[in-house]
Amino acid sequence: MADEPLILGIETSCDETGVGIVRGHTLLADALASSVEEHARFGGVVPEVASRAHLEAIVPTMDRALREAGVTIADIDAIAVTSGPGLAGALLVGVAAAKGYAVAAEKPVYGVNHLAAHVAVDTLEHGPLPEPAIALLVSGGHSSLLRVDDLARAVTPLGATIDDAAGEAFDKVARLLGLPFPGGPYVDREARAGDPAAIAFPRGLTAAKDLARHRYDFSFSGLKTAVARWVEARQRAGEPVPVADVAASFQEAVCDVLVGKALDACRSTGIDTLVIGGGVAANSRLRAMAEHRAAKHGVRVRTPRPKLCTDNGAMVAALGSHLVAAGVAPSRLDLPADSAMPLTVVSV
């Protein structure tokens, strides 16, 4: 609708510089500049490199988004920016840019939670989010289960990773298998030619004694170690490592735990909508397994298209649009960059 506010979102929490523009639930622009190739030779994201890349990319990416949407900064009604969690230096670039544009154009600014934005982006694909909903957020830094009663004000953590996040485990296993960084897409690709039942890798925190204390929590450190030991044993024996089978078996273990705990949360709360977001939500096996198992329990799964699962400005703009529509007050101009922003804080 033309009378809905025009919201611009800025994302710089890790290695993607994103600027998105939305009107209501309609995406008008999604400009992205990635520094992933600069980090690939290190096998992981280097915070200082990421910050420098954001500094170089933020203005060109902003200009590209405005051109794509066919608007000027004066046409924007509000600016939303990821203020946490994330890499401190990277967050500062985005927050400083948002403040600068807000002051120059005399627009309100909203500092928002990166993880809540991963939930909000689904509204650009499937429309308003039924509330309450269960959200499974899986990325390189986070594996979390949330109950979303009100995306603007009431998000309740149910569980989180206690060590390696799912995306982090994908990166580490990819390195073990000689696959490039970031590991998720490459493991997914290799797994398609492998047998997911070839190797019985462990499912972390699923034993009865663990479920008593960590029903909705995740742990992928033990799985990563099990893969490393299996690969090293093959190498010591002088036997070839069946990369596709290892990738498929590892991926199956990760997805089995993620989907199992998410659907358990749906059943125990009586909530029939599951939103899956974050970079790992682009994984083809996770999406297929969630759809298949959820259908048996009458749970509807909502997952954005893969491009919207990874970090982007569109998701920040989507959350900003939701906050404006809900009448949430803008942030103060001295809003901080909070690398450890808790999940319970949707906006600051």
Side-chain angles (χ1 to χ4, degrees):
M1 296 290 291
D3 58 345
E4 290 180 303
L6 191 64
I7 311 300
L8 183 145
I10 298 174
E11 157 62 26
T12 63
S13 67
C14 191
D15 59 347
E16 311 280 7
T17 307
V19 179
I21 299 174
V22 306
R23 190 184 292 279
H25 300 306
T26 302
L27 178 61
L28 304 180
D30 183 21
L32 196 69
S34 177
S35 61
V36 67
E37 291 184 3
E38 298 177 48
H39 304 285
R41 62 195 178 100
F42 301 107
V45 177
V46 180
E48 293 81 359
V49 173
S51 300
R52 174 69 63 179
H54 288 310
L55 281 169
E56 295 173 352
I58 188 67
V59 173
T61 308
M62 173 69 74
D63 293 344
R64 187 152 43 94
L66 292 170
R67 283 197 308 272
E68 186 180 330
V71 300
T72 68
I73 194 69
D75 298 320
I76 299 297
D77 293 302
I79 296 171
V81 60
T82 297
S83 56
L87 302 174
L91 289 168
L92 282 169
V93 176
V95 169
K99 291 177 180 179
Y101 282 107
V103 170
E106 298 183 332
K107 306 296 180 182
V109 63
Y110 288 79
V112 307
N113 190 303
H114 176 84
L115 300 178
H118 271 304
V119 179
V121 74
D122 183 72
T123 63
L124 302 180
E125 191 99 39
H126 300 113
L129 180 70
E131 293 172 340
I134 296 295
L136 171 66
L137 300 183
V138 276
S139 66
H142 302 277
S143 297
S144 304
L145 264 176
L146 313 173
R147 176 181 171 127
V148 183
D149 287 291
D150 178 352
L151 185 54
R153 299 181 177 88
V155 177
T156 306
L158 299 178
T161 185
I162 63 173
D163 44 52
D164 287 1
E168 186 180 0
F170 269 95
D171 288 339
K172 290 177 177 177
V173 167
R175 193 178 309 138
L176 283 168
L177 298 177
L179 300 175
F181 173 86
Y186 295 98
V187 171
D188 192 359
R189 193 174 307 158
E190 288 288 339
R192 291 170 194 173
D195 177 3
I199 308 160
F201 287 133
R203 272 63 168 163
L205 297 185
T206 57
K209 62 182 178 60
D210 295 318
L211 289 172
R213 294 183 53 205
H214 297 288
R215 183 174 181 179
Y216 300 127
D217 292 324
F218 303 99
S219 170
F220 297 108
S221 180
L223 170 59
K224 172 204 66 183
T225 301
V227 175
R229 287 176 177 166
W230 195 93
V231 170
E232 288 162 3
R234 295 281 293 201
Q235 291 170 335
R236 281 196 305 271
E239 299 174 357
V241 175
V243 172
D245 284 346
V246 174
S249 299
F250 160 76
Q251 180 174 270
E252 193 74 5
V254 173
C255 296
D256 188 20
V257 172
L258 291 173
V259 172
K261 295 206 172 202
L263 291 179
D264 181 31
C266 291
R267 290 193 300 271
S268 67
T269 58
I271 295 173
D272 62 3
T273 299
L274 171 64
V275 181
I276 306 178
V280 179
N283 180 273
S284 64
R285 181 57 181 147
L286 177 61
R287 297 166 81 93
M289 184 186 291
E291 289 280 358
H292 177 70
R293 292 190 185 177
K296 298 178 181 179
H297 299 284
V299 174
R300 181 190 176 196
V301 176
R302 293 174 41 139
T303 308
R305 59 185 179 270
K307 186 181 177 184
L308 293 180
C309 291
T310 53
D311 294 349
N312 58 76
M315 69 186 204
V316 180
L319 181 54
S321 179
H322 188 82
L323 293 171
V324 171
V328 174
S331 304
R332 292 162 48 103
L333 270 177
D334 61 353
L335 72 103
D338 183 358
S339 61
M341 180 181 286
L343 282 166
T344 50
V345 176
V346 177
S347 62
V348 295

